[in-house]
Amino acid sequence: MLSDNDHIEGLFPEAAQNWDLNRLYADLQASSGKEIKPFEKACLRGLLCRYRPGQLAFKLTWTSGALRVELNKGLYRSLEAIADQPINTLRWEKVPEWLEAKGYKVQRQSLHNPATNSSDNAGANLADWGEAPNIQTFYGRTEELAKLEQCVVRDRCHLLAICGMGGIGKTALAVKLVENVQSQFDCFIWRSLRGAQPTTQLIADLLQFLNSSQQTGCGISDLLEILRQKRCLVVLDDFEATLQDGELVGVYRQGCEAHAELLQRIGSERHQSSVILIGREQPKEISMHQGEDQPIRYFKVNGLQRQDAFELLRARGFKGTENGLEALVQQYRGNPSALRIVAGTIQELFNGNVSEFLKQTALALGDVLRTLLYQQFERLSKLEKDVLYWLAIKHRPISLSTLRSEMNLQTSGSELINALESLRWRSLIEKVSEQDEVMFLLEPVVLKYVNRQFVDEVSKEITAIAMQQNLKSINLLQSHVLVEDRAPDSIRAMQIRLVLKPIKDKLNKAIAQNNIELEALREILASQHQVQPIEGTSYTEVNLALIGLWW
């Protein structure tokens, strides 16, 4: 469901800095013969700023599926036409490249008054807000802002990383921080790295704005020289986009490898500036050197405090006195994006009755929140995903030694430690202490998503086994137990309800739809296993027995 047009018109204003939007709108309208709708204009601006379709849906408060249908019917076809591309060939990441080739991109204009270059205004503040969002509503975070202001203004930190899971409010917090401290700096620039700009391109972009003397150098040393000469504030949003998918935290994408040297030198060399990184993952260069007595700091953004979360919910039609409201905030750990999504669900489907919503479902994940978690989950290495699956199965805090024992790892103990450390840097797992032992667990929102992913993947495996009548597709069924033998009764009941039952339901559906004889399938699988047993320690037999494919 669309937000009002004023909100939509205000989305992605940064696109106007680099693109001739008026000409684009006119050409698209001429091509399609129809007036471009406000949401299509907003999507176009977002694509030009390299937002993914799932992120556009989040900003528009649409579901991803509904937005994809609408874009395929209209905007995507018109873009192919004006870019002289074959029909049905558009990929969202190609839109900026296609339109730049057609001359729609314009030279970036500085956001400060040209007069500030004159000697009469040599001390004036220069600002380029770049792709920073316009934050119109902001709840709480008073203590967080005070601590961050201290880091930047009083402690004069060289490098500050603001990290947290998707939707937690990192960027909004950073915008408010900059608004509060911008006057303390000679110049300020905000850039989003969601396009994974190579290091050389990023530095050239920064120097173009920061370097008023127009020197020709464009290396890391040239940027450091400017940071020494002036007190600059540089904000780099979406930093995780420069890191490689499918690896532990700290491996950079091709072309971005020199980001490591850039951060290391900004953090260690003498200068008078501050660089703020915003992202879902903590770079190694931060984690290895940060400290309260160091010029490199790390700040993890958590959910809203109780009263601030209540204020957000009141703005969405709640009085603040409803039964179950506190439990709702606790379940979602104060995640502002999650609370906004679920508030709409409660108002529309439960007529504002929070208690009734909590009775119907322990935890609901909206389409938008699933998209945010999907983006983060797909970046993980295989070992990190395996760890998350185990934590979801356990449904309670577990120690490193227990995790290593249950996983039957062939890898070294240090690799598991590295994976856990990487997951903490990604803000995906929590650490607690019980009787002087460190324990790891998932917060409810992440737990719900990971459990669903695990069930979906195992269901695919079990369906393939039934259809192909062999064990060649087995993977998670071999490495992860579905229901623990020695778990407390309450945990076993939860594993049966949340894991085993939906998997068995998927298997029974596949068997019924394809007229598969269950007894014959059991015979075939048993004979195959006798001829070629699965090597190493495996949960295969116990899992297949639980599902009903083994005696």
Coordinates of all heavy atoms in Angstrom, one line a residue, residues 345-402:
T345 N 0.5 -4.1 10.5 CA -0.2 -5.4 10.5 C -1.2 -5.4 11.6 O -2.4 -5.9 11.3 CB 0.8 -6.5 10.7 OG1 1.8 -6.5 9.6 CG2 0.1 -7.9 10.6
I346 N -0.9 -5.0 12.8 CA -1.8 -5.1 13.9 C -3.0 -4.1 13.7 O -4.1 -4.5 13.9 CB -1.1 -4.7 15.2 CG1 0.0 -5.8 15.5 CG2 -2.1 -4.6 16.4 CD1 0.9 -5.4 16.7
Q347 N -2.7 -2.9 13.2 CA -3.8 -2.0 12.9 C -4.7 -2.5 11.8 O -6.0 -2.4 12.0 CB -3.2 -0.6 12.5 CG -2.4 0.1 13.6 CD -3.3 0.6 14.8 OE1 -4.5 0.3 14.9 NE2 -2.8 1.4 15.6
E348 N -4.2 -3.0 10.8 CA -5.0 -3.4 9.6 C -5.7 -4.8 9.8 O -6.9 -4.9 9.4 CB -4.1 -3.5 8.4 CG -3.6 -2.1 7.9 CD -2.8 -2.2 6.7 OE1 -2.8 -3.2 6.0 OE2 -2.0 -1.2 6.4
L349 N -5.0 -5.8 10.4 CA -5.6 -7.1 10.5 C -6.2 -7.5 11.8 O -7.0 -8.4 11.9 CB -4.5 -8.2 10.1 CG -3.9 -8.0 8.7 CD1 -2.9 -9.2 8.5 CD2 -4.9 -8.0 7.6
F350 N -5.8 -6.7 12.9 CA -6.2 -7.1 14.2 C -6.9 -5.9 14.9 O -7.2 -5.9 16.1 CB -5.1 -7.5 15.1 CG -4.5 -8.8 14.6 CD1 -3.5 -8.8 13.7 CD2 -4.9 -10.0 15.2 CE1 -2.9 -10.0 13.2 CE2 -4.3 -11.2 14.7 CZ -3.3 -11.2 13.8
N351 N -7.3 -4.9 14.0 CA -8.0 -3.7 14.5 C -7.3 -3.1 15.7 O -7.9 -2.6 16.7 CB -9.4 -4.1 14.9 CG -10.3 -2.8 14.9 OD1 -10.1 -1.8 14.2 ND2 -11.4 -2.9 15.7
G352 N -6.0 -3.1 15.7 CA -5.2 -2.5 16.8 C -5.1 -3.3 18.1 O -4.5 -2.8 19.1
N353 N -5.6 -4.5 18.1 CA -5.5 -5.4 19.3 C -4.2 -6.1 19.4 O -4.0 -7.1 18.7 CB -6.7 -6.4 19.2 CG -6.9 -7.1 20.6 OD1 -5.9 -7.4 21.2 ND2 -8.1 -7.3 20.9
V354 N -3.3 -5.6 20.2 CA -1.9 -6.1 20.3 C -2.0 -7.5 20.9 O -1.3 -8.5 20.4 CB -1.0 -5.2 21.1 CG1 0.4 -5.8 21.2 CG2 -1.0 -3.8 20.5
S355 N -2.7 -7.7 21.9 CA -2.8 -9.0 22.6 C -3.3 -10.1 21.7 O -2.8 -11.2 21.7 CB -3.7 -8.9 23.8 OG -3.2 -8.0 24.8
E356 N -4.3 -9.8 20.8 CA -4.8 -10.8 19.9 C -3.7 -11.1 18.9 O -3.6 -12.3 18.5 CB -6.0 -10.2 19.2 CG -6.8 -11.2 18.3 CD -7.4 -12.4 19.2 OE1 -7.7 -12.2 20.3 OE2 -7.4 -13.5 18.6
F357 N -3.0 -10.1 18.4 CA -1.9 -10.4 17.5 C -0.9 -11.3 18.1 O -0.4 -12.3 17.5 CB -1.2 -9.1 17.1 CG 0.1 -9.3 16.4 CD1 0.1 -9.6 15.0 CD2 1.3 -9.1 17.0 CE1 1.4 -9.8 14.4 CE2 2.5 -9.3 16.4 CZ 2.5 -9.6 15.1
L358 N -0.5 -11.1 19.4 CA 0.5 -11.9 20.0 C 0.0 -13.3 20.2 O 0.8 -14.3 20.3 CB 0.9 -11.3 21.4 CG 1.7 -10.0 21.3 CD1 1.9 -9.4 22.7 CD2 3.0 -10.1 20.6
K359 N -1.3 -13.5 20.4 CA -1.9 -14.9 20.5 C -1.8 -15.6 19.2 O -1.6 -16.8 19.2 CB -3.4 -14.8 21.0 CG -3.6 -14.3 22.4 CD -5.1 -14.3 22.7 CE -5.3 -13.6 24.0 NZ -6.8 -13.4 24.2
Q360 N -2.0 -14.9 18.1 CA -2.1 -15.5 16.8 C -0.7 -15.9 16.3 O -0.6 -16.9 15.6 CB -2.7 -14.6 15.8 CG -4.2 -14.2 16.1 CD -5.1 -15.4 16.0 OE1 -4.9 -16.3 15.2 NE2 -6.1 -15.5 16.8
T361 N 0.3 -15.2 16.6 CA 1.6 -15.5 16.1 C 2.7 -15.0 17.1 O 2.6 -13.8 17.6 CB 1.9 -14.8 14.7 OG1 3.2 -15.0 14.3 CG2 1.6 -13.3 14.7
A362 N 3.6 -15.8 17.4 CA 4.7 -15.4 18.3 C 5.5 -14.3 17.8 O 6.0 -13.4 18.5 CB 5.5 -16.6 18.7
L363 N 5.8 -14.3 16.5 CA 6.7 -13.3 15.8 C 6.4 -13.3 14.4 O 6.5 -14.3 13.7 CB 8.1 -13.7 16.1 CG 9.1 -12.5 15.8 CD1 9.0 -11.4 16.8 CD2 10.5 -13.1 15.9
A364 N 6.0 -12.1 13.8 CA 5.7 -12.0 12.4 C 6.9 -11.2 11.7 O 7.3 -10.2 12.3 CB 4.4 -11.2 12.2
L365 N 7.3 -11.7 10.6 CA 8.3 -11.0 9.8 C 7.7 -10.5 8.6 O 7.2 -11.3 7.7 CB 9.4 -12.0 9.4 CG 10.4 -12.5 10.5 CD1 11.4 -13.4 9.9 CD2 11.0 -11.3 11.3
G366 N 7.6 -9.2 8.5 CA 7.0 -8.6 7.3 C 7.9 -8.8 6.1 O 9.1 -9.2 6.2
D367 N 7.4 -8.6 4.9 CA 8.1 -8.9 3.6 C 9.3 -8.0 3.6 O 10.4 -8.4 3.1 CB 7.2 -8.6 2.5 CG 7.9 -8.9 1.1 OD1 8.0 -10.1 0.8 OD2 8.3 -7.9 0.4
V368 N 9.2 -6.8 4.1 CA 10.3 -5.8 4.0 C 11.5 -6.3 4.9 O 12.6 -6.3 4.6 CB 9.9 -4.4 4.4 CG1 11.0 -3.4 4.5 CG2 8.9 -3.9 3.3
L369 N 11.1 -6.7 6.2 CA 12.1 -7.1 7.1 C 12.8 -8.4 6.6 O 14.0 -8.6 6.8 CB 11.5 -7.3 8.5 CG 12.5 -7.5 9.6 CD1 13.4 -6.3 9.7 CD2 11.7 -7.7 10.9
R370 N 12.0 -9.3 6.0 CA 12.7 -10.5 5.4 C 13.7 -10.1 4.3 O 14.7 -10.7 4.2 CB 11.6 -11.4 4.8 CG 10.9 -12.3 5.8 CD 10.2 -13.5 5.1 NE 9.1 -13.0 4.3 CZ 7.9 -12.7 4.8 NH1 7.6 -13.0 6.1 NH2 6.9 -12.3 4.0
T371 N 13.4 -9.1 3.6 CA 14.3 -8.6 2.5 C 15.6 -8.2 3.1 O 16.7 -8.5 2.6 CB 13.6 -7.5 1.7 OG1 12.5 -8.0 1.0 CG2 14.6 -7.0 0.6
L372 N 15.5 -7.4 4.2 CA 16.7 -6.9 4.9 C 17.6 -8.0 5.4 O 18.8 -8.1 5.2 CB 16.3 -5.9 6.0 CG 15.7 -4.6 5.6 CD1 15.2 -3.9 6.9 CD2 16.8 -3.7 4.9
L373 N 16.9 -9.0 6.0 CA 17.6 -10.1 6.6 C 18.2 -11.0 5.5 O 19.3 -11.6 5.6 CB 16.7 -10.9 7.5 CG 16.4 -10.2 8.8 CD1 15.3 -10.9 9.6 CD2 17.6 -10.1 9.7
Y374 N 17.4 -11.2 4.4 CA 17.9 -12.0 3.2 C 19.2 -11.4 2.7 O 20.1 -12.1 2.4 CB 16.8 -12.0 2.1 CG 17.3 -12.6 0.8 CD1 17.4 -14.0 0.6 CD2 17.7 -11.8 -0.2 CE1 17.8 -14.5 -0.6 CE2 18.1 -12.3 -1.4 CZ 18.2 -13.7 -1.6 OH 18.7 -14.2 -2.8
Q375 N 19.2 -10.1 2.5 CA 20.4 -9.5 2.0 C 21.6 -9.7 2.9 O 22.7 -10.0 2.4 CB 20.2 -7.9 1.9 CG 19.2 -7.5 0.8 CD 18.8 -6.1 1.0 OE1 19.2 -5.4 1.9 NE2 17.9 -5.6 0.1
Q376 N 21.4 -9.7 4.2 CA 22.5 -10.0 5.1 C 22.9 -11.4 5.1 O 24.1 -11.8 5.1 CB 22.2 -9.5 6.5 CG 23.4 -9.3 7.4 CD 23.1 -8.3 8.5 OE1 22.0 -7.8 8.7 NE2 24.1 -8.0 9.3
F377 N 21.9 -12.3 5.1 CA 22.1 -13.8 5.2 C 22.9 -14.3 4.0 O 23.8 -15.1 4.1 CB 20.8 -14.5 5.3 CG 20.9 -15.9 5.6 CD1 21.1 -16.4 6.9 CD2 20.8 -16.9 4.7 CE1 21.2 -17.7 7.3 CE2 20.9 -18.3 5.0 CZ 21.1 -18.7 6.3
E378 N 22.6 -13.7 2.8 CA 23.2 -14.2 1.6 C 24.7 -13.8 1.5 O 25.4 -14.3 0.6 CB 22.5 -13.6 0.3 CG 21.1 -14.3 0.1 CD 21.2 -15.8 0.0 OE1 21.9 -16.3 -0.8 OE2 20.6 -16.5 0.9
R379 N 25.1 -12.9 2.3 CA 26.5 -12.5 2.3 C 27.4 -13.5 3.1 O 28.6 -13.4 3.1 CB 26.7 -11.1 2.9 CG 26.0 -10.0 2.1 CD 26.1 -8.6 2.8 NE 27.5 -8.3 3.1 CZ 28.4 -7.8 2.2 NH1 28.0 -7.7 0.9 NH2 29.6 -7.6 2.5
L380 N 26.8 -14.4 3.9 CA 27.6 -15.2 4.8 C 28.3 -16.3 4.1 O 27.9 -16.8 3.1 CB 26.6 -15.8 5.8 CG 25.7 -14.9 6.6 CD1 24.9 -15.6 7.6 CD2 26.6 -13.8 7.4
S381 N 29.4 -16.8 4.8 CA 30.1 -18.0 4.3 C 29.3 -19.2 4.7 O 28.4 -19.1 5.6 CB 31.5 -18.1 5.0 OG 31.3 -18.3 6.4
K382 N 29.6 -20.4 4.2 CA 28.9 -21.6 4.5 C 29.0 -21.9 6.0 O 28.0 -22.3 6.6 CB 29.4 -22.8 3.7 CG 28.7 -24.1 3.9 CD 29.3 -25.3 3.1 CE 28.5 -26.5 3.4 NZ 28.4 -26.9 4.8
L383 N 30.2 -21.8 6.6 CA 30.4 -22.1 8.0 C 29.5 -21.2 8.8 O 28.9 -21.6 9.8 CB 31.8 -22.0 8.3 CG 32.2 -22.3 9.8 CD1 31.7 -23.7 10.2 CD2 33.7 -22.2 10.0
E384 N 29.4 -19.9 8.5 CA 28.6 -19.0 9.2 C 27.1 -19.4 9.2 O 26.4 -19.3 10.2 CB 28.8 -17.5 8.7 CG 30.1 -16.9 9.1 CD 30.3 -15.5 8.4 OE1 30.3 -15.5 7.2 OE2 30.4 -14.5 9.1
K385 N 26.7 -19.8 8.0 CA 25.3 -20.2 7.9 C 25.0 -21.5 8.7 O 24.0 -21.6 9.4 CB 24.9 -20.5 6.4 CG 24.8 -19.3 5.6 CD 24.5 -19.6 4.1 CE 24.4 -18.4 3.2 NZ 24.1 -18.7 1.8
D386 N 26.0 -22.4 8.7 CA 25.8 -23.6 9.5 C 25.7 -23.3 11.0 O 24.9 -23.9 11.7 CB 27.0 -24.6 9.3 CG 26.9 -25.3 7.9 OD1 25.8 -25.3 7.4 OD2 28.0 -25.8 7.5
V387 N 26.5 -22.3 11.5 CA 26.5 -21.9 12.9 C 25.1 -21.3 13.2 O 24.5 -21.6 14.2 CB 27.6 -20.9 13.2 CG1 27.4 -20.2 14.5 CG2 29.0 -21.5 13.1
L388 N 24.6 -20.4 12.3 CA 23.3 -19.8 12.6 C 22.2 -20.9 12.6 O 21.3 -20.8 13.4 CB 23.0 -18.8 11.5 CG 23.8 -17.5 11.5 CD1 23.2 -16.5 10.5 CD2 23.8 -16.9 12.9
Y389 N 22.3 -21.9 11.7 CA 21.3 -23.0 11.7 C 21.3 -23.7 13.1 O 20.3 -24.0 13.6 CB 21.5 -23.9 10.6 CG 21.2 -23.4 9.2 CD1 21.9 -23.8 8.1 CD2 20.1 -22.5 9.0 CE1 21.6 -23.3 6.8 CE2 19.8 -22.1 7.8 CZ 20.5 -22.4 6.6 OH 20.2 -22.0 5.4
W390 N 22.5 -24.0 13.6 CA 22.6 -24.7 14.8 C 22.0 -23.9 16.0 O 21.3 -24.4 16.9 CB 24.1 -25.1 15.1 CG 24.4 -26.5 14.6 CD1 25.2 -26.8 13.6 CD2 23.9 -27.7 15.1 NE1 25.2 -28.1 13.4 CE2 24.5 -28.7 14.3 CE3 23.1 -28.1 16.2 CZ2 24.2 -30.1 14.6 CZ3 22.8 -29.4 16.4 CH2 23.4 -30.4 15.6
L391 N 22.3 -22.6 16.0 CA 21.8 -21.7 17.1 C 20.3 -21.6 17.0 O 19.6 -21.5 18.0 CB 22.4 -20.3 16.9 CG 23.9 -20.2 17.3 CD1 24.4 -18.8 17.0 CD2 24.2 -20.6 18.7
A392 N 19.7 -21.6 15.8 CA 18.3 -21.6 15.6 C 17.7 -22.9 16.1 O 16.6 -22.9 16.8 CB 17.9 -21.4 14.1
I393 N 18.3 -24.0 15.8 CA 17.8 -25.4 16.3 C 17.8 -25.4 17.8 O 16.9 -25.8 18.4 CB 18.6 -26.5 15.7 CG1 18.4 -26.6 14.1 CG2 18.3 -27.8 16.3 CD1 19.5 -27.5 13.4
K394 N 18.9 -25.0 18.4 CA 19.1 -25.1 19.8 C 18.1 -24.2 20.6 O 17.6 -24.6 21.7 CB 20.5 -24.6 20.2 CG 21.6 -25.6 19.8 CD 21.5 -26.8 20.7 CE 22.7 -27.7 20.5 NZ 22.6 -28.9 21.4
H395 N 17.8 -23.1 20.0 CA 16.7 -22.2 20.6 C 17.0 -21.7 22.0 O 16.1 -21.5 22.8 CB 15.3 -22.9 20.6 CG 14.3 -22.1 19.9 ND1 14.0 -22.1 18.6 CD2 13.4 -21.2 20.5 CE1 13.0 -21.3 18.4 NE2 12.6 -20.8 19.5
R396 N 18.3 -21.7 22.4 CA 18.7 -21.3 23.7 C 20.2 -21.0 23.6 O 20.9 -21.4 22.7 CB 18.5 -22.4 24.7 CG 19.2 -23.7 24.4 CD 18.6 -24.8 25.3 NE 19.4 -26.1 25.2 CZ 19.2 -27.0 24.2 NH1 18.4 -26.7 23.1 NH2 19.9 -28.1 24.1
P397 N 20.8 -20.3 24.6 CA 22.2 -20.0 24.5 C 23.0 -21.3 24.6 O 22.7 -22.2 25.4 CB 22.4 -19.1 25.8 CG 21.1 -18.6 26.1 CD 20.1 -19.6 25.7
I398 N 24.1 -21.3 23.8 CA 25.0 -22.5 23.9 C 26.4 -22.0 23.9 O 26.8 -21.0 23.3 CB 24.7 -23.5 22.7 CG1 25.0 -22.9 21.4 CG2 23.3 -24.1 22.8 CD1 25.0 -23.9 20.2
S399 N 27.3 -22.9 24.5 CA 28.7 -22.5 24.6 C 29.5 -22.9 23.3 O 29.0 -23.7 22.5 CB 29.3 -23.2 25.8 OG 29.3 -24.6 25.6
L400 N 30.7 -22.4 23.2 CA 31.6 -22.7 22.1 C 31.9 -24.2 22.1 O 31.8 -24.9 21.0 CB 32.9 -21.9 22.2 CG 34.0 -22.3 21.2 CD1 33.5 -22.0 19.8 CD2 35.2 -21.5 21.5
S401 N 32.1 -24.8 23.2 CA 32.5 -26.3 23.3 C 31.3 -27.1 22.9 O 31.5 -28.1 22.1 CB 32.9 -26.6 24.7 OG 31.9 -26.3 25.6
T402 N 30.1 -26.7 23.3 CA 28.9 -27.5 22.9 C 28.7 -27.4 21.4 O 28.4 -28.4 20.7 CB 27.6 -27.0 23.6 OG1 27.9 -27.1 25.0 CG2 26.4 -27.8 23.2

